[in-house]
Each structure stands twice: as structure tokens, then as C-alpha cells.
Amino acid sequence: MEEAFEFRSWAELIPDALGVIFTNLSLQDRVTVIPRVCKSWANAVTGPYCWQEIDIKDWSSRCQPDQLDRLLEMLITRSCGSLRKLSVSGLQTESIFTFIAENACSLQTLRLPRSSMSDAIVEQIAGRLSMISFLDVSYCIKIGPYALEMIGKNCKLLEGLCRNMHPLDTAGKPYQDDEAYAISSTMPKLKHLEMAYHLISTSGVLQILANCPKLEFLDQRGCWGVTLDNMFLKQKFPKLKVLGPFVLDTYESDGWDDFSDVSDASEYLAWDFVAGGMGEYYVDDSDSYDGMWDDEGRLDELQFGFYEGIEDAGMYWPPSP
């Protein structure tokens, strides 16, 4: 007797289940391909389960500020307050920092390298980032010790901080430990700290080590003002891994996979985001939903183009040390 098998369409899955499945696809597929397949998939991809993690760092570094703000606002709005991880580079406008903070009730990992936030902006938004456990403000040259102090006082759960600097921004400048003191006095729970090419001295590092007893990883590559005795570190901080101050050609994994900033080269795609028509989306003749994108930045007015192999894509900003 032959057994009867029932085959069910993917379209019959509930939107939440489809959303979880779609998180395994690339961001560009979720934005431009999935909505065109069918109505149920289009509905699922607009739900919050697809947008709990948003990573547009590679693309955002080659984007105009207004275009970047529009896309980011659209994706964050889709998360419906469930956003847990956000990675974006080069934010410029005060309004977008405020928008992120207003939607950060569930945000745990926030990467904002090369952004133009100031001490004043950080003071305004820090109180809304209380759930942050990892923060990347590398190459943000407009903030200083006051901003780090505000972050430390408001982000009580902070365990990871990236405050790497570009060597061209620090070359020839005197050593100063103001940021080190701000970190040591307000971030006692730190386990992971990156301060590559920072204008920090041995005194500043010792202050951090004395006040951050849980520290497991310290990146001080390019911090030429720091001299630490290896025997002292092994005796006083046996669980601490220190990189630098010498810069090596390779970067070994430190076990903090969630905080890794290394991207898979095979997944690299640069995006060109311009005004224009988005193209045809699937529409059921019996139940039109032309306005489905209206509350999310009018996606029908946006266009995404994808291309690979930009030869000079990395010339504007060297990779993180």
C-alpha cells in the first residue's frame, strides 16, 4: 500500500516562521527578491523577524548621507522595536542618531564606525542605549572622553568597546589618557576592549587594567606610548590576552565571534542606492496591496543595484587594524 504524502506550499507557513527562515538570506535578497515572489512572502519580509539584525556597514561606506538615512530608517522601522544588532558606517546627520536611539529598546550590539557623532549628540542619546552590551565607535573623531563617560554611565551592561583610531588621525600628536580614564572609571564590566592606534600611554592602560577586572582581551596595536611587562601581565592578569603594540600581518581569533568585525569576502557586495523605480512586486489581482510599503520609507521610490569586484573600494578607508 502506497503511503500518501502531503506536500504543503511554503506560502502556507505563518509569517513569523517565514521571517526566521529569510534571516538566512542576504540583506539585498530580503529587500529586493523575496517581496517579488508572492504575497505571503512579501508580507513576511516586512515583519520584524527579518530585521532583528541589520548589517549594512560595507555598503554604507560608499553611500550619500541622505540615501543612507532613508534606507536605515526603513529597515529599523520594519524591526518594530525588536532590533538587536545594528552595524552601519559613516552616519552623518544628528537626526539619524536620534532615530536609532528612539528604536533601541532591544538593541544589544551597535556598530557606528567612522560616524560624525559629537559629544553633544552622545549626551542626548546615551540614556536610551541602556541595553547595549557591545559598542563600536572606532574612527569617530568628533567624540572624546566626555562622550565615553556618558556612554559608560548610561550603558551599565557594556562588555565590549571598540575605540580604534586611524593612524593618520593620531600621527604626531601627544599622548593623552583622558579617554582611558573615562573608560576605567565608568566601564567596570568590560571584557573586550580595542584601542588600536590610540594616543594612550602606559599609565592609561594600567588604569584600565586596575578598574576593569573582567577584561579578557585588549587590543593596543599601534599604541606606541604603551610599554607593558609580559611577566607582570601573566602574574597579575593571567586570563588577559593583549595584542600589540606591534602590528602583525595576521589577526588571530580571540573567541569573541559576536564581536568580530571580519566579513566573509565571498559575501561582499557593494550597493548602489539611488532614487528611481523599485520595479514590479507580486500583486494578487483579487487583493491589491499597493500601499504595503508606504509606512516604511516608500520603498517603491527606491532602487537597489548590485555589483561585485570594485577594485578601489577599500582605498578610502583602510581596514580596521
Side-chain angles (χ1 to χ4, degrees):
M1 179 177 179
E2 295 184 0
E3 296 183 7
F5 293 95
E6 180 181 359
F7 293 94
R8 301 186 62 183
S9 170
W10 276 47
E12 297 179 12
L13 289 175
I14 60 176
D16 292 354
L18 283 172
V20 173
I21 294 172
F22 292 156
T23 59
N24 295 296
L25 301 176
S26 65
L27 181 63
Q28 60 267 28
D29 285 343
R30 280 178 278 162
V31 172
T32 63
V33 177
I34 295 300
R36 293 190 175 98
V37 175
C38 64
K39 179 180 177 180
S40 63
W41 284 27
N43 289 334
V45 84
T46 60
Y49 285 93
C50 274
W51 308 108
Q52 293 181 350
E53 299 183 11
I54 299 174
D55 184 350
I56 55 174
K57 179 173 59 62
D58 288 335
W59 174 77
S60 59
S61 63
R62 290 172 293 278
C63 174
Q64 294 299 318
D66 60 330
Q67 298 168 348
L68 176 58
D69 289 359
R70 291 166 63 198
L71 173 65
L72 195 55
E73 288 177 0
M74 180 188 72
L75 297 182
I76 292 177
T77 299
R78 288 186 181 184
S79 71
C80 299
S82 66
L83 181 64
R84 293 183 292 120
K85 296 181 181 180
L86 174 62
S87 180
V88 56
S89 175
L91 294 181
Q92 303 291 323
T93 62
E94 180 177 350
S95 60
I96 194 63
F97 295 116
T98 302
F99 184 82
I100 292 172
E102 291 174 347
N103 293 271
C105 59
S106 300
L107 195 59
Q108 300 171 7
T109 297
L110 178 60
R111 291 184 175 275
L112 300 174
R114 306 182 182 96
S115 295
S116 295
M117 69 178 74
S118 63
D119 286 355
I121 292 176
V122 173
E123 183 179 25
Q124 294 175 16
I125 69 174
R128 302 194 179 194
L129 303 178
S130 60
M131 298 302 295
I132 295 291
S133 61
F134 181 81
L135 177 66
D136 185 352
V137 287
S138 297
Y139 321 116
C140 297
I141 61 176
K142 293 185 178 181
I143 64 172
Y146 181 72
L148 294 181
E149 183 179 354
M150 289 297 99
I151 291 169
K153 288 182 177 180
N154 288 277
C155 304
K156 299 296 186 180
L157 303 178
L158 195 65
E159 296 184 347
L161 175 67
C162 288
R163 184 64 179 130
N164 300 313
M165 300 298 289
H166 195 287
L168 295 180
D169 291 329
T170 57
K173 296 182 179 180
Y175 299 126
Q176 51 188 7
D177 293 315
D178 292 351
E179 291 197 10
Y181 295 148
I183 292 172
S184 65
S185 63
T186 63
M187 305 178 187
K189 295 183 179 181
L190 277 186
K191 296 181 180 180
H192 181 104
L193 177 60
E194 298 182 18
M195 299 189 72
Y197 292 99
H198 213 279
L199 296 169
I200 190 174
S201 70
T202 302
S203 175
V205 171
L206 292 177
Q207 189 75 14
I208 291 174
L209 296 181
N211 291 280
C212 302
K214 298 183 179 181
L215 199 62
E216 299 174 357
F217 177 81
L218 173 62
D219 186 348
Q220 58 172 17
R221 288 172 296 170
C223 298
W224 310 119
V226 178
T227 303
L228 296 176
D229 183 75
N230 289 333
M231 290 300 297
F232 168 78
L233 290 175
K234 290 181 180 180
Q235 293 175 359
K236 295 292 185 179
F237 310 98
K239 296 182 180 181
L240 176 64
K241 178 179 179 180
V242 178
L243 290 184
F246 298 105
V247 181
L248 303 178
D249 292 333
T250 59
Y251 187 97
E252 296 179 359
S253 173
D254 50 47
W256 286 67
D257 293 336
D258 186 45
F259 298 154
S260 173
D261 198 27
V262 180
S263 300
D264 185 350
S266 64
E267 295 294 327
Y268 176 80
L269 283 174
W271 292 11
D272 183 21
F273 180 58
V274 295
M278 185 60 198
E280 296 290 336
Y281 281 83
Y282 176 89
V283 178
D284 188 337
D285 293 335
S286 63
D287 185 14
S288 177
Y289 58 106
D290 293 335
M292 63 179 294
W293 305 109
D294 289 349
D295 295 333
E296 294 152 2
R298 293 191 58 80
L299 186 61
D300 55 327
E301 296 180 356
L302 308 180
Q303 177 180 348
F304 292 80
F306 308 103
Y307 54 91
E308 299 183 9
I310 300 182
E311 296 180 356
D312 60 347
M315 66 177 291
Y316 302 104
W317 282 97
S320 175

